[in-house]
């Protein structure tokens, strides 16, 4: 049920964004129990003029290798599950793609289940 948006600065490796997405999906699967085949992602690469961020907000030094991740998902996860998700995503991106932990920015947007339609004009999760 998550919809993941991943924004990065244009990368020289054309597979970089897709690889980030694969690691995020694996982290969601293991940390918060996202089911198999429930993988919907928007991958966007931007030039310098269209990728703006503060390099020191909250005392966290960020570089132009910043990965901005926004995950929209149904409400109901505990704070502990969310913390595990953040940690799992950051550590996997660091271990597999050498993304600095400081360069992993994650935002969760929780919605009620009736706010999803996966096709056919039907709210599949509405009770």
């Amino acid at each position: 049920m998550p919809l993941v948006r991943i924004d990065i600065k244009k990368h020289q490796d054309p597979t970089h964004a897709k690889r980030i997405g694969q690691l995020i999906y694996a982290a969601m699967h293991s940390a918060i129990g996202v089911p198999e085949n429930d993988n919907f992602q928007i991958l966007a690469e931007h030039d310098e003029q269209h990728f703006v961020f503060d390099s020191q907000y909250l005392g966290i030094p960020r570089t132009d290798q910043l990965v901005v991740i926004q995950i929209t998902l149904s409400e109901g996860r505990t704070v502990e599950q969310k913390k595990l998700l953040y940690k799992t995503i950051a550590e996997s991106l660091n271990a597999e793609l050498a993304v600095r932990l400081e360069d992993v920015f994650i935002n969760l947007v929780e919605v009620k289940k009736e706010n999803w339609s996966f096709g056919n004009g039907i709210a599949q999760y509405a009770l």
Side-chain angles (χ1 to χ4, degrees):
M1 69 189 101
L3 171 61
V4 180
R5 294 181 178 272
I6 302 165
D7 291 277
I8 61 173
K9 186 176 170 192
K10 186 82 173 155
H11 199 275
Q12 63 190 18
D13 176 358
T15 69
H16 188 69
K18 185 173 184 176
R19 292 169 52 212
I20 290 171
Q22 290 168 337
L23 292 169
I24 291 170
Y25 173 71
M28 291 189 309
H29 182 67
S30 68
I32 61 171
V34 169
E36 290 290 327
N37 301 317
D38 190 355
N39 188 17
F40 297 88
Q41 300 183 346
I42 309 299
L43 312 174
E45 295 186 73
H46 308 278
D47 62 32
E48 290 179 13
Q49 303 303 314
H50 298 96
F51 193 65
V52 179
F53 61 91
D54 188 288
S55 64
Q56 292 296 320
Y57 184 68
L58 294 179
I60 302 169
R62 292 173 194 83
T63 71
D64 64 355
Q65 299 305 305
L66 180 68
V67 177
V68 177
I69 304 158
Q70 184 173 61
I71 303 171
T72 303
L73 69 168
S74 293
E75 61 188 5
R77 304 310 193 296
T78 66
V79 171
E80 291 76 25
Q81 287 174 307
K82 294 173 189 178
K83 288 180 178 180
L84 178 60
L85 177 62
Y86 303 147
K87 179 181 171 87
T88 304
I89 289 172
E91 289 180 352
S92 67
L93 292 177
N94 179 259
E96 298 294 326
L97 298 176
V99 175
R100 297 169 60 249
L101 297 174
E102 298 90 342
D103 284 333
V104 180
F105 181 107
I106 304 169
N107 170 241
L108 295 184
V109 178
E110 291 185 296
V111 300
K112 295 188 179 303
K113 288 190 178 227
E114 66 266 17
N115 291 326
W116 296 99
S117 173
F118 294 92
N120 297 322
I122 299 169
Q124 284 84 0
Y125 290 159
L127 301 175

